[in-house]
Amino acid sequence: MIGLNLVYLVAGTTFLAFAVLGASGRRWSNAAFHLLLAISLLLGDVIGDLGNGLLVIALIAVAASGGMRARRTDDIVAVPPRGSWLFAPALIVPVTALIGTLVFKQIPSIIDPKQATLVALTVGVLFALATCYAWLRPAPAAPFREGLRLMDDIGWAAVLPQMLASLGAVFAISGVGEVVGGIAGQAIPQGSLIGAVIGYGLGMALFTMVMGNAFAAFPVMAAAIGLPLLVQAHGADPARVAAIGMLAGFCGTLMTPMAANFNLVPAALLDLKDRSGVIKAQTPTALPLLVFNILLLWLVIR
């Protein structure tokens, strides 16, 4: 059955190509970082928990060494003018992901229904890459060189979402959600729907700001408030609670430096004088959106 095995294979092969290209350019720290990521994606099931733990420590050691560096701007590959049509391959990815998700769920014997969206997204990326090869006729390694340039510019922050999501899972397993739920239970009036909704929405935003990622905050707040107070006590639809809760969490993402890959990396890539400029620009939008999401959640439950 096709599922995450395809996603890991494509991602792992890509990072392996990055490692080879980095080594060929004598960028040893960058190559080591990408090689470790490739091993985790391609051989994660083989090396076991201890091996993956050691691999994470090695990743941190490479990132903390200070040896990773961005490439020069003169390494950029020139592309003949194509006008607005250059955006066409980028649009292939979401279109394929949408259509593929709907189609793949109808063939559960071939595609894992739980991973249909990720499989469709991966197929979309491969389809877009094949389209670029056929249309633009680049050198075989050109897409990977450009991908490596972007990854080198982002640096270690590229793996921050995965690390923070793992942190959220660790928090959930260790019972942080139950502790937060106990505190929330004392703060929220008994049987108050609006209190539970506000606590859930604000909690998602605040935990996201602390942890840097809504995926990390969700397991904690779902265990603390979402499931016991909204779903079980008030009969809310779990899908709506999860979806709107994540949107509330994304509002927190817009307002925190912990979301380095969203807020600090763009400031660095654009060479902004104010490294907090992205956060300052996003906050006036994030706060009204948070209020709207809390109100929306209350309306769909009541």
Side-chain angles (χ1 to χ4, degrees), residues 22 26 67 231 262 267 271:
R26 298 183 181 279
V231 176
F262 289 107
D271 198 23

Side-chain angles (χ1 to χ4, degrees), residues 42-48 52:
L42 295 174
L43 303 175
D45 291 340
V46 177
I47 62 179
N52 281 293

Side-chain angles (χ1 to χ4, degrees), residues 203-243:
M204 277 296 302
L206 292 175
F207 260 79
T208 298
M209 293 178 69
V210 171
M211 305 176 74
N213 193 298
F215 292 99
F218 179 74
V220 176
M221 294 311 302
I225 300 177
L227 292 177
L229 298 185
L230 295 179
V231 176
Q232 296 175 357
H234 293 283
D237 182 356
R240 294 181 178 182
V241 170

Side-chain angles (χ1 to χ4, degrees), residues 132-153:
C132 288
Y133 272 121
W135 178 35
L136 302 175
R137 305 295 177 119
F144 298 97
R145 291 188 183 279
E146 289 303 293
L148 175 61
R149 182 176 62 82
L150 179 60
M151 288 298 300
D152 285 346
D153 284 341

Side-chain angles (χ1 to χ4, degrees), residues 14 17 19 76-77 82 91 98 101 112 153 159 177 186 208 214 228 246 269 274:
T14 301
I76 299 176
V77 177
R82 301 285 182 173
L91 296 176
L98 175 61
T101 299
D112 184 356
D153 284 341
V159 297
Q186 297 177 358
T208 298
M246 288 297 292
L269 293 178
D274 185 0

Side-chain angles (χ1 to χ4, degrees), residues 29 33 57-68 156:
S29 294
F33 190 82
I57 294 174
L59 276 172
I60 295 172
V62 173
S65 68
M68 296 181 66
W156 64 266

